[in-house]
Amino acid sequence: MNKVPMTVVGEQRLRDELDTLKSVERPRVIAAIAEAREHGDLKENAEYHAAREQQGFIEGRVQEIEGKLSNAQVIDVTKLPQTGKVIFGVTVELLNMQTDEEVTYRIVGEDEADIKLGRISVTSPIARALIGKEEGDVVLVRTPGGDVEYEVGSVKHL
């Protein structure tokens, strides 16, 4: 299987979620199932069915996270030399050439992306256009809403 790029912070978030699922959520659901079983007839026991369904979601998420972590290529951008070039994991300041609006994005793995927090996926149109560019370069980004020109401002290894 292909390795999936991930930042150190993204890996830690997944490991924390996995730990919570295994040590908190899984025992809580098992206890809820045991309690629901004590109520008698399982065919018509809504609490039992709800707990079993929740158990299925938890187990599915545990498997998903374990799979992602096993295929993760964790990249610590702070240990790489700062060359001013846009690479995975950097924080880049962009100037929209049409509107003079400044935006700051961090290029992260797919699971870590959250546009509201300024984290964009390495597979997004903006990130794909930016990778390999340097400070001062003008980049044309093809988006579903039309083409947008950005000037690459600073590139930070945070």
Side-chain angles (χ1 to χ4, degrees):
M1 217 174 216
N2 292 339
K3 291 287 186 186
V4 178
M6 188 178 293
T7 64
V8 174
V9 173
E11 180 199 26
Q12 190 57 50
R13 278 195 195 110
L14 282 179
R15 290 199 185 280
D16 291 346
E17 182 182 351
L18 183 62
D19 185 50
T20 301
L21 288 171
K22 286 183 169 182
S23 63
V24 177
E25 295 298 319
R26 188 184 271 168
R28 183 184 58 75
V29 169
I30 290 170
I33 290 171
E35 182 182 324
R37 276 193 180 134
E38 293 173 4
H39 293 194
D41 186 15
L42 298 180
K43 288 181 184 173
E44 297 178 14
N45 189 333
E47 292 170 357
Y48 174 78
H49 292 292
R52 290 286 298 179
E53 187 174 318
Q54 192 172 22
Q55 183 183 36
F57 286 128
I58 289 171
E59 294 306 321
R61 183 65 180 153
V62 165
Q63 286 181 347
E64 180 184 2
I65 292 172
E66 287 175 341
K68 287 177 182 178
L69 289 173
S70 69
N71 290 321
Q73 179 181 3
V74 180
I75 299 169
D76 187 355
V77 75
T78 60
K79 294 187 171 139
L80 300 174
Q82 295 195 23
T83 61
K85 193 175 228 179
V86 179
I87 57 173
F88 177 85
V90 299
T91 301
V92 60
E93 292 178 359
L94 302 172
L95 174 67
N96 185 319
M97 303 296 279
Q98 287 93 0
T99 65
D100 283 340
E101 178 185 348
E102 283 194 20
V103 291
T104 303
Y105 293 126
R106 181 163 188 204
I107 300 173
V108 297
E110 287 184 36
D111 294 318
E112 307 168 71
D114 186 345
I115 193 70
K116 292 179 190 133
L117 299 175
R119 297 190 306 243
I120 59 172
S121 169
V122 69
T123 60
S124 70
I126 295 173
R128 285 197 320 254
L130 290 172
I131 296 290
K133 302 296 188 253
E134 297 182 5
E135 292 177 352
D137 287 353
V138 175
V139 180
L140 179 68
V141 179
R142 299 194 184 280
T143 66
D147 294 350
V148 181
E149 272 191 328
Y150 289 104
E151 180 180 347
V152 179
S154 65
V155 176
K156 299 176 189 147
H157 292 237
L158 303 175

